[in-house]
Structures are given as structure tokens and as C-alpha cells.
Amino acid sequence: MRQLLIIDDEKNIRHGLQVMIERQFPGRYTIRCARHGQEGLFTLREQPADIIITDIRMPVLDGIAMLEQLRASSELVQQPEVIVLSGHDDFEYAKAAIRYQVREYLLKPIRRDDLFAALESLENELVRKESLSRRLEDADQYRRQWQEEQLSRWLEAPADEAKRELDACTWLQLPEPYIVCVWNCVTADGHPVAVQELDLLLSQLADHTQATYEMQLLDREGRRVWMIRQEQLGLLQALARAAARREVSGLWAGISSSKQERSELQTAYAQACRALVYGFFCPGIYLLNEPTLQEAEIPQAQLEEDVRRLGNLLGTGRSSEISGMVHHLFRLSGTGMRSLNEVQRTVRLINENVLDEVFRHFGEASIEVLRLYRRVCSLEHYRYFHDYCRDLERLLLSLDEYIGQLRLVHSEHHRLKEAVAYLHSHYARPLNMATVSNHVSLNYSYFSEAFKAYTGESFVVYLKKLRIERAKELLAEPHHRLGEIGEQVGFESSRHFSRVFRELEGITPQEYRARLELRSGMV
């Protein structure tokens, strides 16, 4: 709906105009009223109007003085269309109306048809202006988009081609000196945020710091690129401090050194992009210059040897050495800036020579470990490098425990197999659990639980069954006397032997032999 303001010192005229207009144009206008020019200006500051209908002669501030202040005001985004009402056909008033761009001049008493015709004329003018404004905005947007696309192409074109076209460009006006700033913002999972979200965030931060740019564009990586004046670097730093106060995570910008010539634009952009990469290593730092690497990269042979040693530590339980090796490989204790190329080479070696090999040889671990493994396999899954190192260390310590358990199980399996073999070879001797656990070098209490888990039965029950099974073999041979069989299979007495036999088989040894003889005679 259009905003319409009626300014007149006579209440009846204000009310009459409002009723006529609302009856003739239902739903077209939201109408407000003011008693004089001063009140009208105050109302306009609160809510701008599309159309003003104003009297000339009013107390406090008359219509002409009000129009003079209105047209001089810089607060209004768009000046309203004005209809002046006057009870005097005065040439001086008419000249003033023309000077302050009054669209219609109506004499009192107001004729309805004249008022409605004036409003229709203003409506047509407003529609025309809106259409023109949209076309201009579209054209301006197209021009800006075309210029951004050209700049984006030049930033990544071959150097000779970019320099030639930049030198020939007539529309590109860069301040001298200027700086290129490339912004990046990523989520905790390392994914870039949408450019709309980045623009909104930068806009909110800039509103608090007055930071601005001369030109901006999107590069082919979807990052926001600013060209700013050298003297506005302080405002950019204020923006970074505002981000720090709000604890904005994942936002940083690479900035170039100061440049004078537009032919240096591509060089400045490349500098800013190289600086941007190192935001990955610098949580909490929002503006980055291209770093000076203070240490030489580790030779490939030494890097491979260090990674091999890391893999050998897994399963040993030496967690402090594993953590120390991670710190050594990535120079986490040093003060110099590490090379991104070296970090990427190290990550690739750890993935291929340690992590992949572990899962190839030892199989899959828990779901949690597998999830962590899939995340650690790429630096792109992380916002900051220290988050990657933390997860890598967690994964390696989990794998150390996992491999250690597998080795322990393998070792225990061998020892328990040896214990069972010892029982089968020495069941006729006086045996107890202490003797056998000592023989295979396992703790007594642990051996008791492990033996039961391995065989499904306790040590005592397993030994009883083993001895009775051997006794049943001897009972099938008639030349073995009953009184001797129990002692031959390890029982202390024939009485003990008979009790255990009956406990497991349900009959006595004599009855078992008699049954065997009966079956043999029937055959």
C-alpha cells in the first residue's frame, strides 16, 4: 500500500480529505495526518511517505518552509510526490511550488474530481519511476555481474593475458595503493559456508566497524574477494577484532601486500590466496599475511622412516611415545610455520602406510573407530589443523589398544591351547590349576576365567571329564582291574574315582563294564 500524509491545520479538512480518498481508492493508501509542517516532518522521519498533500498557510511551520526542509533533507531515501493545497491563487506560492518540485497545485475549496485526477496522475508517475528504477537496478546488477566475472577470469588467467587485458581495461578504477583480501568461512566439518551466509556475516561485522571495500567479487572457488584502500587496513583489523569478540569460528582472510598498479592485481590475489591457506593452522587469527616459512621441509626419506616408526608403535601400549611421534611428525612443539605441502605429504603417508595397513591386516575395529578413521583420512574434513591432530592422536591411541588386544588374544589362545595339551598329556598325574597356570605362565585368577572362556567349562570339570573319558577307554579292556583304573587316570582313590564316575555317567564303573560285556556277548 502507498503511504500518504495529509498536512493541514484544519481538522475538518484533514478528516474530509481522508474520507474522500479512502472511499474513492479503497485499499490503495495508508493515510496519516499532521496539523502543521513541523509535525509533518516529524511524522516523515518516523515513516516516509510516497505522497504528501499539504496546505501552505499553517502555524508553527508553513507548507513552503516545510517543503524547503524536506527537499534539503538527506535522511530520506526517496523524496515524496507533493500536492499543494492553497486558498489563494498567488503567483509567489506557485513559483515556490515549482522550485520545490510540487507535482500538483490545487485551489481550495477542493473539487473531488481535481483531487482524484491529481492522485491518479501521481500514481502513474510513481509506477513509472518504480519501473525505471527496477530497469536501472537490473542494468546496474548486470554491469556489476559482468565486471565481477571479468575480474574473476583475469585473476586466474595466464599472467601475460591478464596483464594485457588489465592494462587495456577502462572501467576498472582501483585505489592507489590497494590491498586484495580473500575471505573464507568453513563449518566445523571443514565444509565452506554458502556465500550468502558469508556475506551476511561480513555485513554484520562491517556494520559495527565501518569496514568497506572498493570492489568485490566471487572467485571460482566461491570465496569472497575484496579490493580495499591501503588506509582502510585499520578498519579491516577492527572487523577482525569484532569477529574475535563474537568468537566467530572458521572465518579468516588472506591479505596481500600493498600494490600500486592494477597490473599487479593478479599477483596480489595470488598472495592473498597463499596467505588464506594458513588460516587452517591459526585458529583465532582472522587476518593472515603470506607467512615466511622458518624451517626447511623434512626430506621424504626421513618422513617415510618416521611414519614407519609410528606404525611399529601401534599395539605396544606405549601411548606417550605415539603422542610424541605425532607431535614430532607435525612439528607441533616448534615455533616456525610448517609448510602445507609437508603436512599434506605427511598425512598421505600416515593414511597409506599406517592406517590403511592396520585395517588391512587387523580387520575392522569398533564403529566409533571406523567413523573416526573415515574423518581423519582427509584434511578437508576439518576447520583447523589442531582439530585434525587431536582426532589423529585419538585414532592412533584407539588402534594401539585395539591391536594390543588382538595380540593379547592371539597370545592367550596359544597359551590356553598349550594348557589343554598339557592336561591331555599329564592327566594321570596329580594336577591342579596352579600347576597348569604356572606351566603356561598365566596369572592364576586370570587363567581360571580364560580357561573357562576357551573351553566352555571350568578347569576342575574339564579335568574330571578328561579323566573319566580315559577311564571309560580302560574299562573296555578286561585285563585292567577296576581298583587300578582310577589310579591310572589320576584319581587319588578308587572310592573317589567311583563317585566322580557316577556323578558324570549316572552309573558306577562296575555297572559300566558289565553293560559293555553284555553288549559284547549279544554281538
Side-chain angles (χ1 to χ4, degrees), residues 390-425:
R390 181 198 60 218
D391 277 0
L392 175 64
E393 190 171 339
R394 280 178 52 209
L395 176 60
L396 291 171
L397 293 178
S398 296
L399 291 176
D400 175 58
E401 182 180 358
Y402 172 65
I403 295 170
Q405 289 173 346
L406 289 179
R407 288 176 176 171
L408 181 61
V409 167
H410 179 76
S411 174
E412 289 173 356
H413 181 85
H414 176 75
R415 293 183 182 185
L416 291 170
K417 184 177 180 181
E418 182 183 350
V420 169
Y422 184 82
L423 286 177
H424 280 261
S425 299

Side-chain angles (χ1 to χ4, degrees), residues 239-445:
L239 187 150
R241 289 193 293 272
R245 286 193 299 273
R246 292 177 56 175
E247 298 182 350
V248 177
S249 294
L251 173 71
W252 62 83
I255 56 177
S256 72
S257 59
S258 178
K259 304 297 181 186
Q260 294 285 342
E261 304 295 333
R262 62 183 175 184
S263 59
E264 298 178 285
L265 183 61
Q266 190 181 59
T267 301
Y269 170 73
Q271 282 183 342
C273 288
R274 288 194 296 269
L276 186 72
V277 168
Y278 287 89
F280 183 59
F281 299 102
C282 305
I285 298 179
Y286 295 91
L287 298 181
L288 297 130
N289 297 101
E290 186 176 6
T292 300
L293 303 180
Q294 299 178 5
E295 300 178 54
E297 291 191 9
I298 300 174
Q300 183 71 13
Q302 181 183 339
L303 202 55
E304 291 176 356
E305 175 61 20
D306 288 342
V307 170
R308 186 189 66 79
R309 288 171 54 204
L310 174 64
N312 289 342
L313 284 171
L314 297 183
T316 64
R318 288 144 66 179
S319 56
S320 60
E321 291 185 41
I322 293 172
S323 298
M325 183 58 73
V326 171
H327 281 245
H328 168 72
L329 279 166
F330 292 114
R331 309 193 198 188
L332 299 182
S333 303
T335 56
M337 178 67 73
R338 64 198 59 80
S339 157
L340 179 64
N341 176 61
E342 179 183 297
V343 169
Q344 291 172 331
R345 286 193 297 125
T346 306
V347 169
R348 186 164 56 251
L349 282 172
I350 291 174
N351 286 345
E352 295 173 356
N353 298 353
V354 177
L355 301 180
D356 293 349
E357 288 299 308
V358 164
F359 286 98
R360 187 177 298 115
H361 286 95
F362 295 100
E364 296 184 350
S366 67
I367 296 298
E368 182 181 355
V369 171
L370 282 174
R371 188 180 297 120
L372 194 55
Y373 166 63
R374 294 190 182 103
R375 180 168 165 77
V376 165
C377 70
S378 174
L379 290 174
E380 293 181 356
H381 295 159
Y382 292 90
R383 173 185 286 165
Y384 294 121
F385 180 58
H386 73 81
D387 295 327
Y388 164 80
C389 292
R390 181 198 60 218
D391 277 0
L392 175 64
E393 190 171 339
R394 280 178 52 209
L395 176 60
L396 291 171
L397 293 178
S398 296
L399 291 176
D400 175 58
E401 182 180 358
Y402 172 65
I403 295 170
Q405 289 173 346
L406 289 179
R407 288 176 176 171
L408 181 61
V409 167
H410 179 76
S411 174
E412 289 173 356
H413 181 85
H414 176 75
R415 293 183 182 185
L416 291 170
K417 184 177 180 181
E418 182 183 350
V420 169
Y422 184 82
L423 286 177
H424 280 261
S425 299
H426 301 85
Y427 64 87
R429 298 181 182 180
L431 289 178
N432 56 41
M433 196 160 60
T435 303
V436 180
S437 63
N438 285 335
H439 176 75
V440 294
S441 302
L442 285 175
N443 175 270
Y444 178 88
S445 299

Side-chain angles (χ1 to χ4, degrees), residues 164-287:
R164 184 174 61 255
E165 295 196 23
L166 282 167
D167 286 340
C169 176
T170 57
W171 53 262
L172 179 60
Q173 300 296 324
L174 290 173
E176 296 179 7
Y178 67 91
I179 289 173
V180 172
C181 172
V182 181
W183 289 99
N184 192 33
C185 189
V186 297
T187 66
D189 293 331
H191 298 125
V193 302
V195 67
Q196 294 85 353
E197 294 180 39
L198 174 58
D199 285 344
L200 177 61
L201 176 59
L202 292 176
S203 174
Q204 291 171 344
L205 293 172
D207 286 346
H208 292 85
T209 60
Q210 286 76 53
T212 187
Y213 50 83
E214 296 300 310
M215 294 191 69
Q216 72 164 350
L217 58 93
L218 274 183
D219 68 8
R220 295 188 180 182
E221 300 296 326
R223 299 172 301 204
R224 182 59 73 192
V225 182
W226 285 2
M227 278 71 85
I228 67 171
R229 295 179 182 274
Q230 163 70 35
E231 58 265 28
Q232 290 192 322
L233 181 58
L235 293 177
L236 203 60
Q237 292 166 341
L239 187 150
R241 289 193 293 272
R245 286 193 299 273
R246 292 177 56 175
E247 298 182 350
V248 177
S249 294
L251 173 71
W252 62 83
I255 56 177
S256 72
S257 59
S258 178
K259 304 297 181 186
Q260 294 285 342
E261 304 295 333
R262 62 183 175 184
S263 59
E264 298 178 285
L265 183 61
Q266 190 181 59
T267 301
Y269 170 73
Q271 282 183 342
C273 288
R274 288 194 296 269
L276 186 72
V277 168
Y278 287 89
F280 183 59
F281 299 102
C282 305
I285 298 179
Y286 295 91
L287 298 181

